[in-house]
Amino acid sequence: MMEATDQQPLPTPLQEGIREQNMALNTKRHGEWMVEEHHLFLQGLEQYGNRRYGDIATLVKSRTPDQIRCHAQKHWQKLTKEKHNIKTVVQKQKKMVKTVVQKKKQKNENGVTTVTPPAVGEMFYI
């Protein structure tokens, strides 16, 4: 007669493969975000608003709310940096225009200041 043991029988290779597939379906991704995930993230931001990471996670099923929160922080930092960079570029262009205009200013014999238009092919920013 066999004694009852508390140990479960070892899974067969087929059962182990099915278990691994089920785990893969239920696990969340980590690392770099795919384009599709980012689009779903943006859709979630539009639909639910900022700081609704749990709700956004219902759209981005492959990420946890904490991962979505971290991605949102990086997203806003990137937008802020880009906005700052655009502002800096515009300021530099305005400064270049001012410099070009100052170089083109001339006083004629009557003392009137005129501005010479840029030559053909010369860079002139507006």
Side-chain angles (χ1 to χ4, degrees):
M1 185 169 204
M2 294 185 91
E3 292 182 25
T5 61
D6 292 336
Q7 294 181 353
Q8 296 289 329
L10 292 173
T12 65
L14 178 61
Q15 290 171 329
E16 185 65 28
I18 292 171
R19 186 176 72 81
E20 287 177 8
Q21 286 176 351
N22 288 338
M23 285 178 59
L25 291 174
N26 294 328
T27 59
K28 302 292 183 178
R29 286 182 34 82
H30 60 278
E32 195 171 325
W33 280 57
M34 295 188 307
V35 174
E36 295 84 7
E37 290 175 316
H38 183 68
H39 286 300
L40 289 171
F41 164 76
L42 294 175
Q43 181 182 343
L45 279 180
E46 186 176 317
Q47 186 174 345
Y48 298 112
N50 194 19
R51 299 181 185 211
R52 302 284 304 271
Y53 309 122
D55 294 332
I56 296 171
T58 61
L59 288 176
V60 188
K61 294 181 181 3
S62 57
R63 299 294 179 155
T64 65
D66 280 343
Q67 289 173 318
I68 292 170
R69 178 185 50 79
C70 290
H71 187 69
Q73 288 174 340
K74 292 175 187 174
H75 174 72
W76 296 122
Q77 287 172 350
K78 182 180 177 184
L79 290 180
T80 302
K81 183 179 178 181
E82 287 174 356
K83 182 179 178 182
H84 174 74
N85 288 343
I86 289 171
K87 187 176 180 181
T88 303
V89 167
V90 169
Q91 288 173 344
K92 285 181 181 178
Q93 286 181 345
K94 285 181 178 179
K95 188 175 182 179
M96 288 175 66
V97 168
K98 187 176 181 181
T99 303
V100 169
V101 169
Q102 286 175 346
K103 287 181 181 177
K104 298 290 181 179
K105 284 184 178 180
Q106 300 171 357
K107 287 189 177 183
N108 61 18
E109 63 268 0
N110 298 334
V112 177
T113 303
T114 60
V115 177
T116 307
V120 175
E122 183 178 1
M123 295 295 287
F124 188 74
Y125 298 96
I126 297 176

Short mmCIF file of all heavy atoms in Angstrom, two decimals, residues 49-114:
data_model
loop_
_atom_site.label_atom_id
_atom_site.label_comp_id
_atom_site.label_asym_id
_atom_site.label_seq_id
_atom_site.Cartn_x
_atom_site.Cartn_y
_atom_site.Cartn_z
N GLY A 49 -6.64 61.77 -18.62
CA GLY A 49 -5.95 62.88 -18.00
C GLY A 49 -4.67 62.43 -17.31
O GLY A 49 -4.40 61.24 -17.16
N ASN A 50 -3.90 63.41 -16.87
CA ASN A 50 -2.62 63.12 -16.22
C ASN A 50 -2.85 62.54 -14.82
O ASN A 50 -3.85 62.83 -14.18
CB ASN A 50 -1.80 64.41 -16.14
CG ASN A 50 -0.36 64.15 -15.80
OD1 ASN A 50 0.13 63.03 -15.97
ND2 ASN A 50 0.33 65.16 -15.32
N ARG A 51 -1.92 61.74 -14.38
CA ARG A 51 -1.91 61.13 -13.04
C ARG A 51 -3.00 60.08 -12.83
O ARG A 51 -3.33 59.75 -11.70
CB ARG A 51 -1.97 62.18 -11.95
CG ARG A 51 -0.77 63.11 -12.00
CD ARG A 51 -0.83 64.12 -10.92
NE ARG A 51 0.28 65.05 -11.10
CZ ARG A 51 0.88 65.66 -10.13
NH1 ARG A 51 0.50 65.47 -8.90
NH2 ARG A 51 1.87 66.47 -10.37
N ARG A 52 -3.58 59.58 -13.88
CA ARG A 52 -4.57 58.49 -13.79
C ARG A 52 -3.92 57.22 -14.31
O ARG A 52 -4.39 56.59 -15.25
CB ARG A 52 -5.82 58.85 -14.60
CG ARG A 52 -6.53 60.13 -14.21
CD ARG A 52 -7.34 60.01 -12.94
NE ARG A 52 -8.32 58.94 -13.01
CZ ARG A 52 -9.56 59.08 -13.46
NH1 ARG A 52 -9.99 60.25 -13.88
NH2 ARG A 52 -10.37 58.04 -13.48
N TYR A 53 -2.81 56.84 -13.67
CA TYR A 53 -1.96 55.76 -14.18
C TYR A 53 -2.66 54.41 -14.17
O TYR A 53 -2.45 53.60 -15.06
CB TYR A 53 -0.65 55.72 -13.40
CG TYR A 53 0.02 57.07 -13.32
CD1 TYR A 53 0.30 57.66 -12.10
CD2 TYR A 53 0.34 57.77 -14.48
CE1 TYR A 53 0.89 58.91 -12.03
CE2 TYR A 53 0.93 59.02 -14.42
CZ TYR A 53 1.20 59.59 -13.18
OH TYR A 53 1.77 60.82 -13.12
N GLY A 54 -3.48 54.15 -13.17
CA GLY A 54 -4.23 52.90 -13.12
C GLY A 54 -5.20 52.79 -14.28
O GLY A 54 -5.36 51.73 -14.89
N ASP A 55 -5.86 53.90 -14.59
CA ASP A 55 -6.80 53.91 -15.71
C ASP A 55 -6.07 53.75 -17.05
O ASP A 55 -6.52 53.04 -17.94
CB ASP A 55 -7.62 55.20 -15.72
CG ASP A 55 -8.54 55.30 -14.52
OD1 ASP A 55 -8.96 54.25 -14.00
OD2 ASP A 55 -8.84 56.44 -14.09
N ILE A 56 -4.92 54.43 -17.17
CA ILE A 56 -4.14 54.33 -18.39
C ILE A 56 -3.63 52.89 -18.57
O ILE A 56 -3.55 52.38 -19.68
CB ILE A 56 -2.98 55.35 -18.40
CG1 ILE A 56 -3.55 56.78 -18.41
CG2 ILE A 56 -2.06 55.13 -19.59
CD1 ILE A 56 -2.53 57.86 -18.19
N ALA A 57 -3.34 52.21 -17.43
CA ALA A 57 -2.87 50.82 -17.49
C ALA A 57 -3.92 49.88 -18.07
O ALA A 57 -3.58 48.82 -18.58
CB ALA A 57 -2.45 50.35 -16.10
N THR A 58 -5.19 50.28 -18.02
CA THR A 58 -6.23 49.44 -18.64
C THR A 58 -6.11 49.47 -20.16
O THR A 58 -6.54 48.54 -20.83
CB THR A 58 -7.65 49.88 -18.23
OG1 THR A 58 -7.88 51.23 -18.65
CG2 THR A 58 -7.84 49.76 -16.72
N LEU A 59 -5.52 50.56 -20.70
CA LEU A 59 -5.28 50.63 -22.14
C LEU A 59 -3.93 50.00 -22.50
O LEU A 59 -3.84 49.25 -23.48
CB LEU A 59 -5.28 52.09 -22.61
CG LEU A 59 -6.62 52.80 -22.65
CD1 LEU A 59 -6.44 54.26 -23.03
CD2 LEU A 59 -7.55 52.13 -23.63
N VAL A 60 -2.90 50.33 -21.72
CA VAL A 60 -1.57 49.79 -21.96
C VAL A 60 -1.44 48.55 -21.08
O VAL A 60 -0.86 48.59 -20.00
CB VAL A 60 -0.46 50.82 -21.62
CG1 VAL A 60 0.90 50.31 -22.05
CG2 VAL A 60 -0.74 52.16 -22.27
N LYS A 61 -1.98 47.46 -21.54
CA LYS A 61 -2.07 46.24 -20.73
C LYS A 61 -0.71 45.61 -20.45
O LYS A 61 -0.57 44.83 -19.53
CB LYS A 61 -2.98 45.24 -21.41
CG LYS A 61 -4.43 45.69 -21.47
CD LYS A 61 -5.29 44.65 -22.12
CE LYS A 61 -6.74 44.97 -22.28
NZ LYS A 61 -7.27 46.21 -21.90
N SER A 62 0.30 45.98 -21.23
CA SER A 62 1.62 45.38 -21.07
C SER A 62 2.49 46.11 -20.04
O SER A 62 3.63 45.75 -19.82
CB SER A 62 2.35 45.36 -22.41
OG SER A 62 2.43 46.66 -22.94
N ARG A 63 1.94 47.15 -19.39
CA ARG A 63 2.71 47.95 -18.41
C ARG A 63 1.92 48.11 -17.12
O ARG A 63 0.69 48.18 -17.13
CB ARG A 63 3.03 49.33 -18.98
CG ARG A 63 3.88 49.31 -20.23
CD ARG A 63 5.26 48.77 -19.95
NE ARG A 63 6.06 48.74 -21.17
CZ ARG A 63 7.37 48.78 -21.18
NH1 ARG A 63 8.06 48.84 -20.06
NH2 ARG A 63 8.03 48.73 -22.33
N THR A 64 2.67 48.23 -16.02
CA THR A 64 2.04 48.43 -14.72
C THR A 64 1.79 49.92 -14.52
O THR A 64 2.41 50.76 -15.19
CB THR A 64 2.95 47.93 -13.59
OG1 THR A 64 4.15 48.74 -13.56
CG2 THR A 64 3.32 46.46 -13.76
N PRO A 65 0.94 50.29 -13.56
CA PRO A 65 0.73 51.71 -13.27
C PRO A 65 2.03 52.43 -12.88
O PRO A 65 2.24 53.58 -13.25
CB PRO A 65 -0.28 51.69 -12.12
CG PRO A 65 -1.07 50.45 -12.35
CD PRO A 65 -0.06 49.45 -12.87
N ASP A 66 2.92 51.74 -12.14
CA ASP A 66 4.20 52.36 -11.79
C ASP A 66 5.06 52.63 -13.02
O ASP A 66 5.70 53.67 -13.13
CB ASP A 66 4.98 51.49 -10.81
CG ASP A 66 4.49 51.62 -9.38
OD1 ASP A 66 3.77 52.61 -9.09
OD2 ASP A 66 4.83 50.75 -8.56
N GLN A 67 5.07 51.69 -13.96
CA GLN A 67 5.82 51.89 -15.19
C GLN A 67 5.23 53.04 -16.00
O GLN A 67 5.97 53.84 -16.59
CB GLN A 67 5.82 50.61 -16.04
CG GLN A 67 6.65 49.49 -15.45
CD GLN A 67 6.48 48.20 -16.22
OE1 GLN A 67 5.37 47.84 -16.60
NE2 GLN A 67 7.57 47.50 -16.45
N ILE A 68 3.93 53.16 -15.99
CA ILE A 68 3.26 54.24 -16.71
C ILE A 68 3.58 55.58 -16.05
O ILE A 68 3.83 56.58 -16.72
CB ILE A 68 1.75 53.99 -16.80
CG1 ILE A 68 1.51 52.78 -17.72
CG2 ILE A 68 0.99 55.21 -17.30
CD1 ILE A 68 0.11 52.25 -17.72
N ARG A 69 3.62 55.60 -14.72
CA ARG A 69 3.98 56.83 -13.99
C ARG A 69 5.39 57.28 -14.37
O ARG A 69 5.62 58.46 -14.67
CB ARG A 69 3.88 56.59 -12.48
CG ARG A 69 4.29 57.81 -11.65
CD ARG A 69 4.30 57.50 -10.15
NE ARG A 69 5.03 56.30 -9.81
CZ ARG A 69 6.37 56.22 -9.72
NH1 ARG A 69 7.11 57.28 -9.95
NH2 ARG A 69 6.95 55.10 -9.40
N CYS A 70 6.34 56.34 -14.38
CA CYS A 70 7.73 56.67 -14.75
C CYS A 70 7.80 57.17 -16.20
O CYS A 70 8.52 58.13 -16.50
CB CYS A 70 8.63 55.46 -14.56
SG CYS A 70 8.90 55.02 -12.84
N HIS A 71 7.06 56.50 -17.07
CA HIS A 71 7.05 56.91 -18.48
C HIS A 71 6.45 58.31 -18.63
O HIS A 71 6.95 59.13 -19.41
CB HIS A 71 6.26 55.90 -19.32
CG HIS A 71 6.34 56.14 -20.79
ND1 HIS A 71 7.50 55.95 -21.50
CD2 HIS A 71 5.40 56.55 -21.68
CE1 HIS A 71 7.28 56.24 -22.79
NE2 HIS A 71 6.00 56.61 -22.91
N ALA A 72 5.42 58.60 -17.85
CA ALA A 72 4.79 59.93 -17.90
C ALA A 72 5.78 61.00 -17.44
O ALA A 72 5.87 62.07 -18.05
CB ALA A 72 3.54 59.95 -17.03
N GLN A 73 6.53 60.71 -16.38
CA GLN A 73 7.52 61.69 -15.90
C GLN A 73 8.54 61.98 -16.99
O GLN A 73 8.87 63.15 -17.25
CB GLN A 73 8.22 61.16 -14.66
CG GLN A 73 7.36 61.16 -13.42
CD GLN A 73 8.05 60.49 -12.24
OE1 GLN A 73 8.98 59.72 -12.41
NE2 GLN A 73 7.57 60.79 -11.05
N LYS A 74 9.04 60.93 -17.62
CA LYS A 74 10.03 61.12 -18.69
C LYS A 74 9.41 61.85 -19.88
O LYS A 74 10.07 62.68 -20.53
CB LYS A 74 10.59 59.77 -19.13
CG LYS A 74 11.45 59.12 -18.06
CD LYS A 74 11.87 57.74 -18.48
CE LYS A 74 12.58 57.04 -17.33
NZ LYS A 74 12.89 55.64 -17.64
N HIS A 75 8.16 61.53 -20.17
CA HIS A 75 7.44 62.18 -21.28
C HIS A 75 7.36 63.69 -21.04
O HIS A 75 7.67 64.48 -21.92
CB HIS A 75 6.05 61.56 -21.42
CG HIS A 75 5.17 62.22 -22.42
ND1 HIS A 75 5.38 62.10 -23.78
CD2 HIS A 75 4.07 63.01 -22.27
CE1 HIS A 75 4.45 62.79 -24.42
NE2 HIS A 75 3.65 63.34 -23.53
N TRP A 76 6.95 64.10 -19.82
CA TRP A 76 6.82 65.53 -19.52
C TRP A 76 8.18 66.21 -19.50
O TRP A 76 8.31 67.35 -19.94
CB TRP A 76 6.08 65.74 -18.20
CG TRP A 76 4.66 65.25 -18.24
CD1 TRP A 76 4.10 64.31 -17.43
CD2 TRP A 76 3.62 65.65 -19.15
NE1 TRP A 76 2.78 64.10 -17.78
CE2 TRP A 76 2.47 64.90 -18.83
CE3 TRP A 76 3.56 66.55 -20.20
CZ2 TRP A 76 1.27 65.04 -19.51
CZ3 TRP A 76 2.37 66.68 -20.89
CH2 TRP A 76 1.24 65.95 -20.54
N GLN A 77 9.21 65.53 -19.00
CA GLN A 77 10.56 66.10 -19.00
C GLN A 77 11.03 66.35 -20.43
O GLN A 77 11.63 67.39 -20.72
CB GLN A 77 11.53 65.19 -18.28
CG GLN A 77 11.37 65.16 -16.78
CD GLN A 77 12.21 64.10 -16.12
OE1 GLN A 77 12.80 63.24 -16.78
NE2 GLN A 77 12.27 64.13 -14.79
N LYS A 78 10.76 65.39 -21.31
CA LYS A 78 11.18 65.54 -22.71
C LYS A 78 10.46 66.71 -23.36
O LYS A 78 11.07 67.51 -24.08
CB LYS A 78 10.89 64.24 -23.47
CG LYS A 78 11.32 64.29 -24.91
CD LYS A 78 11.01 62.98 -25.61
CE LYS A 78 11.38 63.08 -27.08
NZ LYS A 78 11.02 61.87 -27.81
N LEU A 79 9.15 66.83 -23.11
CA LEU A 79 8.40 67.95 -23.69
C LEU A 79 8.91 69.28 -23.17
O LEU A 79 9.03 70.25 -23.93
CB LEU A 79 6.91 67.80 -23.39
CG LEU A 79 6.18 66.68 -24.12
CD1 LEU A 79 4.71 66.66 -23.71
CD2 LEU A 79 6.30 66.81 -25.62
N THR A 80 9.22 69.35 -21.89
CA THR A 80 9.74 70.58 -21.29
C THR A 80 11.08 70.94 -21.91
O THR A 80 11.34 72.10 -22.24
CB THR A 80 9.88 70.43 -19.77
OG1 THR A 80 8.60 70.11 -19.23
CG2 THR A 80 10.39 71.70 -19.13
N LYS A 81 11.94 69.93 -22.09
CA LYS A 81 13.26 70.16 -22.68
C LYS A 81 13.12 70.64 -24.12
O LYS A 81 13.80 71.58 -24.54
CB LYS A 81 14.08 68.88 -22.63
CG LYS A 81 15.49 69.04 -23.16
CD LYS A 81 16.25 67.73 -23.04
CE LYS A 81 17.64 67.88 -23.62
NZ LYS A 81 18.39 66.62 -23.55
N GLU A 82 12.24 70.00 -24.89
CA GLU A 82 12.03 70.41 -26.28
C GLU A 82 11.49 71.83 -26.35
O GLU A 82 11.90 72.61 -27.20
CB GLU A 82 11.07 69.45 -26.98
CG GLU A 82 11.69 68.10 -27.29
CD GLU A 82 10.70 67.11 -27.87
OE1 GLU A 82 9.50 67.43 -27.97
OE2 GLU A 82 11.13 65.99 -28.20
N LYS A 83 10.57 72.17 -25.45
CA LYS A 83 10.02 73.53 -25.43
C LYS A 83 11.12 74.53 -25.12
O LYS A 83 11.22 75.57 -25.75
CB LYS A 83 8.91 73.61 -24.38
CG LYS A 83 8.23 74.96 -24.31
CD LYS A 83 7.13 74.94 -23.27
CE LYS A 83 6.47 76.31 -23.16
NZ LYS A 83 5.43 76.32 -22.13
N HIS A 84 11.99 74.18 -24.18
CA HIS A 84 13.12 75.06 -23.83
C HIS A 84 14.06 75.19 -25.02
O HIS A 84 14.52 76.29 -25.33
CB HIS A 84 13.87 74.51 -22.62
CG HIS A 84 15.11 75.28 -22.29
ND1 HIS A 84 15.05 76.53 -21.71
CD2 HIS A 84 16.41 75.00 -22.48
CE1 HIS A 84 16.29 76.97 -21.55
NE2 HIS A 84 17.13 76.07 -22.00
N ASN A 85 14.33 74.07 -25.72
CA ASN A 85 15.22 74.11 -26.88
C ASN A 85 14.64 74.97 -27.99
O ASN A 85 15.36 75.72 -28.63
CB ASN A 85 15.50 72.70 -27.39
CG ASN A 85 16.42 71.93 -26.46
OD1 ASN A 85 17.09 72.50 -25.61
ND2 ASN A 85 16.44 70.62 -26.62
N ILE A 86 13.33 74.86 -28.23
CA ILE A 86 12.69 75.68 -29.27
C ILE A 86 12.79 77.15 -28.90
O ILE A 86 13.11 78.00 -29.73
CB ILE A 86 11.22 75.25 -29.46
CG1 ILE A 86 11.17 73.88 -30.14
CG2 ILE A 86 10.44 76.28 -30.27
CD1 ILE A 86 9.80 73.26 -30.19
N LYS A 87 12.54 77.45 -27.61
CA LYS A 87 12.63 78.84 -27.15
C LYS A 87 14.05 79.37 -27.34
O LYS A 87 14.24 80.51 -27.79
CB LYS A 87 12.23 78.91 -25.68
CG LYS A 87 12.13 80.29 -25.12
CD LYS A 87 11.65 80.26 -23.68
CE LYS A 87 11.54 81.65 -23.10
NZ LYS A 87 11.09 81.62 -21.70
N THR A 88 15.05 78.55 -27.05
CA THR A 88 16.44 78.95 -27.21
C THR A 88 16.76 79.19 -28.68
O THR A 88 17.42 80.18 -29.02
CB THR A 88 17.38 77.87 -26.65
OG1 THR A 88 17.04 77.64 -25.28
CG2 THR A 88 18.83 78.27 -26.74
N VAL A 89 16.29 78.33 -29.57
CA VAL A 89 16.54 78.49 -31.01
C VAL A 89 15.90 79.78 -31.51
O VAL A 89 16.53 80.55 -32.25
CB VAL A 89 16.00 77.27 -31.80
CG1 VAL A 89 15.97 77.55 -33.29
CG2 VAL A 89 16.84 76.05 -31.50
N VAL A 90 14.68 80.06 -31.08
CA VAL A 90 14.00 81.29 -31.51
C VAL A 90 14.76 82.51 -31.01
O VAL A 90 14.95 83.48 -31.75
CB VAL A 90 12.53 81.30 -31.01
CG1 VAL A 90 11.90 82.66 -31.20
CG2 VAL A 90 11.72 80.24 -31.73
N GLN A 91 15.22 82.46 -29.76
CA GLN A 91 15.98 83.59 -29.23
C GLN A 91 17.27 83.79 -30.02
O GLN A 91 17.65 84.93 -30.33
CB GLN A 91 16.31 83.36 -27.75
CG GLN A 91 15.11 83.49 -26.84
CD GLN A 91 15.42 83.09 -25.40
OE1 GLN A 91 16.42 82.44 -25.13
NE2 GLN A 91 14.53 83.46 -24.49
N LYS A 92 17.94 82.70 -30.39
CA LYS A 92 19.18 82.82 -31.17
C LYS A 92 18.89 83.40 -32.54
O LYS A 92 19.65 84.21 -33.05
CB LYS A 92 19.85 81.45 -31.30
CG LYS A 92 20.54 80.99 -30.04
CD LYS A 92 21.21 79.65 -30.24
CE LYS A 92 21.88 79.18 -28.96
NZ LYS A 92 22.50 77.86 -29.10
N GLN A 93 17.78 82.95 -33.15
CA GLN A 93 17.44 83.48 -34.48
C GLN A 93 17.12 84.96 -34.40
O GLN A 93 17.53 85.73 -35.27
CB GLN A 93 16.25 82.70 -35.06
CG GLN A 93 16.62 81.31 -35.52
CD GLN A 93 15.45 80.56 -36.11
OE1 GLN A 93 14.30 80.95 -35.93
NE2 GLN A 93 15.73 79.48 -36.80
N LYS A 94 16.41 85.39 -33.37
CA LYS A 94 16.11 86.82 -33.22
C LYS A 94 17.39 87.61 -33.04
O LYS A 94 17.54 88.70 -33.59
CB LYS A 94 15.18 87.04 -32.02
CG LYS A 94 13.75 86.64 -32.27
CD LYS A 94 12.88 86.91 -31.05
CE LYS A 94 11.44 86.55 -31.31
NZ LYS A 94 10.59 86.79 -30.13
N LYS A 95 18.33 87.05 -32.29
CA LYS A 95 19.60 87.74 -32.06
C LYS A 95 20.37 87.84 -33.38
O LYS A 95 20.98 88.86 -33.67
CB LYS A 95 20.42 86.96 -31.03
CG LYS A 95 21.67 87.67 -30.59
CD LYS A 95 22.36 86.90 -29.47
CE LYS A 95 23.59 87.64 -29.01
NZ LYS A 95 24.27 86.93 -27.91
N MET A 96 20.31 86.75 -34.21
CA MET A 96 20.99 86.78 -35.50
C MET A 96 20.38 87.84 -36.41
O MET A 96 21.10 88.58 -37.09
CB MET A 96 20.92 85.41 -36.17
CG MET A 96 21.79 84.36 -35.51
SD MET A 96 21.58 82.72 -36.22
CE MET A 96 22.21 82.97 -37.85
N VAL A 97 19.06 87.96 -36.41
CA VAL A 97 18.38 88.97 -37.23
C VAL A 97 18.82 90.35 -36.80
O VAL A 97 19.15 91.20 -37.63
CB VAL A 97 16.84 88.82 -37.13
CG1 VAL A 97 16.16 90.02 -37.73
CG2 VAL A 97 16.39 87.55 -37.82
N LYS A 98 18.83 90.56 -35.49
CA LYS A 98 19.23 91.86 -34.96
C LYS A 98 20.66 92.19 -35.38
O LYS A 98 20.95 93.31 -35.79
CB LYS A 98 19.12 91.85 -33.43
CG LYS A 98 19.34 93.17 -32.78
CD LYS A 98 19.11 93.08 -31.29
CE LYS A 98 19.32 94.41 -30.61
NZ LYS A 98 19.14 94.32 -29.15
N THR A 99 21.54 91.21 -35.33
CA THR A 99 22.94 91.41 -35.72
C THR A 99 23.04 91.72 -37.21
O THR A 99 23.76 92.65 -37.61
CB THR A 99 23.77 90.15 -35.41
OG1 THR A 99 23.65 89.86 -34.02
CG2 THR A 99 25.23 90.35 -35.75
N VAL A 100 22.32 90.97 -38.04
CA VAL A 100 22.35 91.19 -39.49
C VAL A 100 21.81 92.57 -39.81
O VAL A 100 22.39 93.32 -40.60
CB VAL A 100 21.54 90.10 -40.23
CG1 VAL A 100 21.35 90.46 -41.70
CG2 VAL A 100 22.24 88.76 -40.11
N VAL A 101 20.71 92.96 -39.16
CA VAL A 101 20.11 94.27 -39.42
C VAL A 101 21.07 95.37 -38.99
O VAL A 101 21.25 96.37 -39.70
CB VAL A 101 18.74 94.41 -38.71
CG1 VAL A 101 18.25 95.84 -38.74
CG2 VAL A 101 17.73 93.48 -39.36
N GLN A 102 21.71 95.21 -37.85
CA GLN A 102 22.65 96.24 -37.39
C GLN A 102 23.82 96.39 -38.35
O GLN A 102 24.30 97.48 -38.59
CB GLN A 102 23.18 95.89 -35.99
CG GLN A 102 22.16 96.14 -34.90
CD GLN A 102 22.65 95.69 -33.54
OE1 GLN A 102 23.63 94.96 -33.42
NE2 GLN A 102 21.95 96.11 -32.50
N LYS A 103 24.26 95.26 -38.93
CA LYS A 103 25.37 95.33 -39.89
C LYS A 103 24.94 96.00 -41.18
O LYS A 103 25.75 96.59 -41.88
CB LYS A 103 25.89 93.92 -40.19
CG LYS A 103 26.67 93.32 -39.05
CD LYS A 103 27.17 91.93 -39.42
CE LYS A 103 27.93 91.31 -38.26
NZ LYS A 103 28.37 89.94 -38.58
N LYS A 104 23.66 95.90 -41.51
CA LYS A 104 23.16 96.44 -42.78
C LYS A 104 22.77 97.92 -42.66
O LYS A 104 22.49 98.55 -43.65
CB LYS A 104 21.94 95.64 -43.27
CG LYS A 104 22.23 94.20 -43.55
CD LYS A 104 23.10 94.06 -44.77
CE LYS A 104 23.40 92.61 -45.09
NZ LYS A 104 24.22 92.47 -46.27
N LYS A 105 22.69 98.42 -41.41
CA LYS A 105 22.30 99.82 -41.24
C LYS A 105 23.41 100.74 -41.74
O LYS A 105 24.58 100.52 -41.48
CB LYS A 105 22.02 100.14 -39.77
CG LYS A 105 20.70 99.60 -39.28
CD LYS A 105 20.46 100.05 -37.85
CE LYS A 105 19.11 99.55 -37.37
NZ LYS A 105 18.86 99.98 -36.00
N GLN A 106 23.01 101.76 -42.46
CA GLN A 106 23.96 102.75 -42.96
C GLN A 106 23.33 104.12 -42.87
O GLN A 106 22.12 104.26 -42.99
CB GLN A 106 24.32 102.46 -44.42
CG GLN A 106 24.94 101.12 -44.67
CD GLN A 106 25.06 100.83 -46.16
OE1 GLN A 106 24.62 101.63 -47.00
NE2 GLN A 106 25.65 99.71 -46.49
N LYS A 107 24.15 105.11 -42.65
CA LYS A 107 23.63 106.48 -42.67
C LYS A 107 24.03 107.10 -44.01
O LYS A 107 25.16 107.01 -44.43
CB LYS A 107 24.23 107.30 -41.53
CG LYS A 107 23.65 106.93 -40.19
CD LYS A 107 24.10 107.90 -39.12
CE LYS A 107 23.47 107.55 -37.80
NZ LYS A 107 23.80 108.48 -36.75
N ASN A 108 23.05 107.70 -44.65
CA ASN A 108 23.38 108.35 -45.91
C ASN A 108 23.88 109.78 -45.62
O ASN A 108 23.99 110.19 -44.47
CB ASN A 108 22.19 108.35 -46.88
CG ASN A 108 20.99 109.09 -46.33
OD1 ASN A 108 21.11 109.87 -45.39
ND2 ASN A 108 19.83 108.83 -46.92
N GLU A 109 24.16 110.53 -46.69
CA GLU A 109 24.73 111.87 -46.49
C GLU A 109 23.79 112.83 -45.77
O GLU A 109 24.23 113.81 -45.18
CB GLU A 109 25.18 112.48 -47.83
CG GLU A 109 24.08 112.71 -48.83
CD GLU A 109 23.87 111.55 -49.77
OE1 GLU A 109 24.55 110.53 -49.68
OE2 GLU A 109 22.98 111.67 -50.61
N ASN A 110 22.48 112.56 -45.74
CA ASN A 110 21.52 113.41 -45.04
C ASN A 110 21.37 113.01 -43.57
O ASN A 110 20.58 113.60 -42.85
CB ASN A 110 20.16 113.37 -45.72
CG ASN A 110 20.22 113.90 -47.15
OD1 ASN A 110 21.08 114.70 -47.47
ND2 ASN A 110 19.31 113.43 -47.99
N GLY A 111 22.08 111.94 -43.15
CA GLY A 111 21.99 111.49 -41.77
C GLY A 111 20.83 110.53 -41.52
O GLY A 111 20.53 110.19 -40.38
N VAL A 112 20.17 110.09 -42.60
CA VAL A 112 19.05 109.16 -42.47
C VAL A 112 19.60 107.73 -42.46
O VAL A 112 20.41 107.36 -43.30
CB VAL A 112 18.05 109.34 -43.63
CG1 VAL A 112 16.93 108.32 -43.54
CG2 VAL A 112 17.51 110.75 -43.64
N THR A 113 19.15 106.95 -41.48
CA THR A 113 19.60 105.56 -41.37
C THR A 113 18.76 104.69 -42.29
O THR A 113 17.53 104.75 -42.27
CB THR A 113 19.47 105.06 -39.92
OG1 THR A 113 20.22 105.92 -39.08
CG2 THR A 113 19.98 103.64 -39.78
N THR A 114 19.42 103.91 -43.12
CA THR A 114 18.73 102.98 -44.00
C THR A 114 19.24 101.57 -43.74
O THR A 114 20.34 101.37 -43.23
CB THR A 114 18.98 103.32 -45.49
OG1 THR A 114 20.38 103.25 -45.73
CG2 THR A 114 18.45 104.69 -45.83
#
